[in-house]
Amino acid sequence: MESVIHKKRIKQIIDRAEILELIRCMEKAFTAYSSGNAVIPPVGTLTFDSPPGDVHIKYGYIKDDPVYVIKIASGFYKNPSLGISSSNGLNLVFSQNTGQIKAILMDEGYLTDIRTGLAGAVAAKYLAPAKVDAIGIIGSGIQARMQLRFLKHSIDCTKVLVWGRSEESLLAYKKEMSSYGFEIETTLSAAEVARECNLIVTVTPSTTPVLDAGDLRQDVHITAVGADTTGKQELDPDILKQAKLLVVDSAEQCREHGELHKVIQAGELKEKSVIELGEFISSKQRHVRKQGITVADLTGIATQDIQISKFVLERL
Amino acid sequence: MESVIHKKRIKQIIDRAEILELIRCMEKAFTAYSSGNAVIPPVGTLTFDSPPGDVHIKYGYIKDDPVYVIKIASGFYKNPSLGISSSNGLNLVFSQNTGQIKAILMDEGYLTDIRTGLAGAVAAKYLAPAKVDAIGIIGSGIQARMQLRFLKHSIDCTKVLVWGRSEESLLAYKKEMSSYGFEIETTLSAAEVARECNLIVTVTPSTTPVLDAGDLRQDVHITAVGADTTGKQELDPDILKQAKLLVVDSAEQCREHGELHKVIQAGELKEKSVIELGEFISSKQRHVRKQGITVADLTGIATQDIQISKFVLERL
């Protein structure tokens, strides 16, 4: 008989977990994906006009695992007016041996938030400059919190400059995230973040660039997390053109959305200069950081959902 | 909070339902699909090599409904050696308004069996000859039972000839299905079924034709239910070439699998002679049955899963 696990219990498991173990678990999501050891069909999508919403079905398996996972995540953008979260989701875990269901993780999107935050920590671990002076966070929502929470465990820097559109949300962010031991400054100017920080994470739902190439420091790593669907974009295309290194979670997926797809489609980027995060982690390249701009474009892949679901399941 | 409904409760609801109401509910699955009033993305598929298995994700929504449905169905063909069913499945029902989950129907594949059986009754209702002398059933498994159980409510004939590969399974079938009021004869010769029956339902997992064109009566309707995945085939291609009328559940899907796809791909069939069941039901054509061979090729569509899930949900 399957078990139904609710968000409260899932949250307890994650809260009690060793974060370094979570980060390692997420690293394996990327190496399994890029090594060809995972079977990941294209993402299923369902869209609604009124009220506007979209549903993504990410699914697949890692070959030597006991389970396969189907993750269903939705965004219904009028929900906040009803007093409920716009994002929602659950992870279904099945046996690779019999197809029988083993667990229904009713995480309401929480595990997607967690695995996305952990992905940022993995990217920073391998791609950030050796000495990070200040962490820049572009965005002040839930994912902006997740990113910083986990970055603490890959990056030795407590100085943070956060950008947001309202003073109110910046203050709330500062208050909450200071309790994790960060010294947080806030700003309404993204250019200021670009000038002061050499590790920047962008986590907005923006459809127009929020970071300009001209404002950036010469040696900086940017992890772009926001552009998870077609139409979203956070980075000035010049950033991508000037970057020394472009890392993506999935080369296939980043051809369709994410930061890179428009420049790739416009033929302004040679695809060979793009490397998958899992491939980068497994390669020798990771030992030598070249000076310059590096970008990690993370759109979210099913192996992340598989890994985080297994992590929870093993600790029930 | 979502509700998890198990197979036992679902079976009770179906057992207590009016079968004519169930058939009407399934009719709407086809008319909604063909009228363009449903949003149904391509089926998601996941396959496993060892042990061999496949998973199909069918999902979508009917535009004026309150819900959308994701159905996950699996077949793991070594399961019987472990004493468990090879097929499995569940239906997830979500709100179209907020994306929140409303119900998890843990039907273990039962609702797929039911909706597939009902589809056969819908096809027979509109396509069988006015006077059916004898119903032929090619196959003696679960779906062969479902088909007959529901045909009783669309066709006024109790004489049945059933074909199977083993005397044992045929006897078990005869014993069980006689209790529904049918006079059942059995045979090991599919040709005998073809000669004696003018309504035939094929429900085998065969990959080579089990019915030959040369054996058929001149005026006969065949509903082919077995070929639900690429590689499966139950009908001699000549049957399709000689047919006066070819009806499919989904024109798009039948181009990829089902009985028709090979002949279509070989260019031996003009696609314009193929009509969707939902279109046929809504058209004037349905009032005049032409003498000759007619074929309904049913591969299974998500609107059937949506309709049957809603039916259960409304009766909880």
Side-chain angles (χ1 to χ4, degrees):
Chain A
M1 188 65 73
E2 81 296 340
S3 15
V4 178
I5 326 292
H6 287 94
K7 182 178 173 182
K8 194 179 162 190
R9 176 97 179 86
I10 293 168
K11 226 167 157 301
Q12 272 175 357
I13 291 172
I14 297 291
D15 284 343
R16 286 175 194 162
E18 281 287 344
I19 301 217
L20 289 177
E21 214 178 326
L22 277 166
I23 292 174
R24 273 195 300 276
C25 149
M26 206 44 55
E27 252 180 72
K28 205 193 148 188
F30 297 109
T31 52
Y33 183 86
S34 298
S35 70
N37 198 32
V39 175
I40 308 294
V43 178
T45 305
L46 200 54
T47 53
F48 298 85
D49 292 335
S50 171
D54 49 58
V55 178
H56 291 111
I57 308 176
K58 293 190 172 172
Y59 60 106
Y61 61 94
I62 296 175
K63 282 178 189 165
D64 35 17
D65 270 358
V67 297
Y68 72 89
V69 173
I70 299 176
K71 196 267 292 272
I72 299 156
S74 64
F76 279 74
Y77 306 100
K78 299 280 184 200
N79 279 2
S81 69
L82 305 169
I84 51 180
S85 167
S86 62
S87 67
N88 218 311
L90 71 163
N91 283 271
L92 302 159
V93 186
F94 299 85
S95 162
Q96 265 197 42
N97 219 33
T98 64
Q100 287 180 313
I101 191 152
K102 289 173 92 96
I104 301 172
L105 306 179
M106 303 288 304
D107 60 279
E108 301 170 31
Y110 174 73
L111 287 177
T112 300
D113 289 342
I114 291 291
R115 60 83 151 152
T116 306
L118 289 168
V122 173
K125 177 176 168 185
Y126 291 103
L127 292 159
K131 186 176 170 331
V132 174
D133 311 320
I135 299 170
I137 303 284
I138 301 286
S140 59
I142 293 173
Q143 193 48 232
R145 287 164 166 77
M146 289 285 171
Q147 290 292 329
L148 196 56
R149 177 177 164 191
F150 294 125
L151 271 182
K152 196 177 149 117
H153 301 265
S154 347
I155 297 298
D156 187 23
C157 169
T158 54
K159 213 181 140 191
V160 176
L161 184 57
V162 56
W163 171 89
R165 291 190 203 274
S166 89
E167 292 278 12
E168 200 188 342
S169 71
L170 285 171
L171 277 177
Y173 185 91
K174 180 175 175 166
K175 194 175 163 197
E176 185 180 331
M177 298 311 292
S178 298
S179 69
Y180 286 88
F182 292 105
E183 303 151 50
I184 297 182
E185 299 295 326
T186 65
T187 177
L188 295 169
S189 154
E192 196 186 337
V193 175
R195 284 190 300 266
E196 297 204 1
C197 305
N198 61 343
L199 170 63
I200 302 174
V201 186
T202 63
V203 279
T204 69
S206 187
T207 52
T208 51
V210 281
L211 272 187
D212 283 334
D215 297 321
L216 288 176
R217 289 171 58 167
Q218 286 190 324
D219 189 27
V220 57
H221 172 72
I222 303 166
T223 297
V225 178
D228 56 353
T229 322
T230 312
K232 294 191 189 169
Q233 189 180 3
E234 299 184 283
L235 306 184
D236 176 358
D238 282 340
I239 297 179
L240 305 171
K241 289 181 221 159
Q242 289 170 22
K244 281 271 183 315
L245 179 64
L246 291 169
V247 177
V248 297
D249 48 8
S250 158
E252 195 182 332
Q253 210 160 278
C254 289
R255 250 174 256 131
E256 269 146 51
H257 56 254
E259 295 301 328
L260 270 64
H261 87 283
K262 278 189 195 164
V263 267
I264 290 176
Q265 281 171 10
E268 297 172 318
L269 211 67
K270 284 174 191 113
E271 270 195 62
K272 62 180 176 189
S273 61
V274 176
I275 183 169
E276 283 187 354
L277 181 54
E279 208 183 329
F280 185 79
I281 293 173
S282 309
S283 76
K284 283 181 187 163
Q285 262 195 73
R286 70 177 166 118
H287 301 294
V288 249
R289 180 184 159 87
K290 288 178 194 134
Q291 289 269 319
I293 298 170
T294 58
V295 175
D297 186 13
L298 305 180
T299 54
I301 53 180
T303 48
Q304 293 177 260
D305 303 309
I306 295 169
Q307 284 295 97
I308 198 73
S309 293
K310 276 162 48 192
F311 190 94
V312 171
L313 217 65
E314 283 159 10
R315 280 154 189 85
L316 278 176
Chain B
M1 187 65 72
E2 81 296 342
S3 14
V4 178
I5 325 290
H6 287 93
K7 182 178 173 182
K8 195 179 162 191
R9 176 94 179 88
I10 294 168
K11 225 167 158 301
Q12 273 175 357
I13 291 171
I14 298 291
D15 284 344
R16 286 175 194 162
E18 280 286 345
I19 302 218
L20 289 178
E21 214 178 327
L22 278 165
I23 292 175
R24 273 194 300 275
C25 147
M26 205 44 56
E27 255 180 69
K28 202 193 151 187
F30 298 108
T31 52
Y33 183 86
S34 298
S35 70
N37 198 32
V39 175
I40 309 294
V43 178
T45 306
L46 201 56
T47 55
F48 298 86
D49 292 335
S50 173
D54 48 58
V55 178
H56 291 110
I57 308 175
K58 292 188 172 172
Y59 58 106
Y61 62 93
I62 297 174
K63 283 176 189 168
D64 35 18
D65 270 358
V67 298
Y68 72 90
V69 172
I70 299 177
K71 196 266 293 271
I72 298 156
S74 65
F76 279 75
Y77 305 101
K78 300 280 184 201
N79 279 3
S81 70
L82 305 169
I84 51 179
S85 168
S86 61
S87 66
N88 219 311
L90 72 161
N91 283 272
L92 302 159
V93 186
F94 300 85
S95 162
Q96 266 196 42
N97 217 33
T98 63
Q100 287 181 313
I101 191 150
K102 289 174 92 95
I104 301 173
L105 306 179
M106 302 289 304
D107 60 278
E108 300 170 33
Y110 174 73
L111 287 178
T112 300
D113 289 343
I114 291 289
R115 61 82 152 152
T116 305
L118 289 168
V122 173
K125 176 176 168 185
Y126 291 102
L127 292 159
K131 189 182 170 321
V132 175
D133 310 321
I135 298 170
I137 303 283
I138 301 287
S140 59
I142 293 173
Q143 192 48 230
R145 287 165 165 78
M146 290 286 172
Q147 290 292 329
L148 196 56
R149 177 177 163 192
F150 294 125
L151 271 182
K152 197 176 148 120
H153 301 265
S154 352
I155 297 298
D156 186 23
C157 168
T158 55
K159 213 180 140 191
V160 176
L161 182 57
V162 57
W163 170 90
R165 292 191 203 273
S166 90
E167 293 277 12
E168 201 188 342
S169 71
L170 284 171
L171 277 177
Y173 186 91
K174 180 175 175 166
K175 195 176 163 198
E176 186 180 331
M177 298 312 292
S178 297
S179 70
Y180 285 88
F182 291 106
E183 303 151 49
I184 296 181
E185 299 294 327
T186 66
T187 178
L188 295 169
S189 155
E192 196 186 336
V193 174
R195 284 190 301 266
E196 296 204 3
C197 304
N198 60 344
L199 170 64
I200 301 175
V201 186
T202 65
V203 278
T204 71
S206 189
T207 52
T208 52
V210 282
L211 273 187
D212 283 334
D215 297 321
L216 289 176
R217 290 170 59 166
Q218 286 190 322
D219 189 26
V220 57
H221 172 72
I222 303 167
T223 298
V225 177
D228 56 354
T229 322
T230 312
K232 293 190 188 169
Q233 189 180 5
E234 299 183 283
L235 307 184
D236 175 0
D238 282 340
I239 296 178
L240 305 172
K241 289 181 221 159
Q242 289 170 22
K244 282 272 183 315
L245 179 65
L246 291 169
V247 177
V248 297
D249 48 7
S250 157
E252 195 182 332
Q253 208 161 279
C254 289
R255 249 173 257 135
E256 267 145 53
H257 56 255
E259 296 300 330
L260 270 63
H261 85 284
K262 279 187 195 166
V263 269
I264 289 176
Q265 280 171 10
E268 298 172 319
L269 211 67
K270 284 176 191 107
E271 270 195 61
K272 63 180 175 189
S273 60
V274 176
I275 182 169
E276 284 187 353
L277 180 54
E279 209 183 327
F280 185 79
I281 292 173
S282 309
S283 75
K284 284 182 184 160
Q285 263 196 70
R286 71 177 165 117
H287 300 293
V288 249
R289 181 184 158 87
K290 288 178 193 135
Q291 289 270 319
I293 299 172
T294 58
V295 175
D297 186 13
L298 304 181
T299 55
I301 53 179
T303 46
Q304 294 176 258
D305 303 309
I306 295 169
Q307 284 295 94
I308 198 75
S309 293
K310 274 162 46 191
F311 190 93
V312 170
L313 216 66
E314 285 159 9
R315 279 154 191 84
L316 278 176

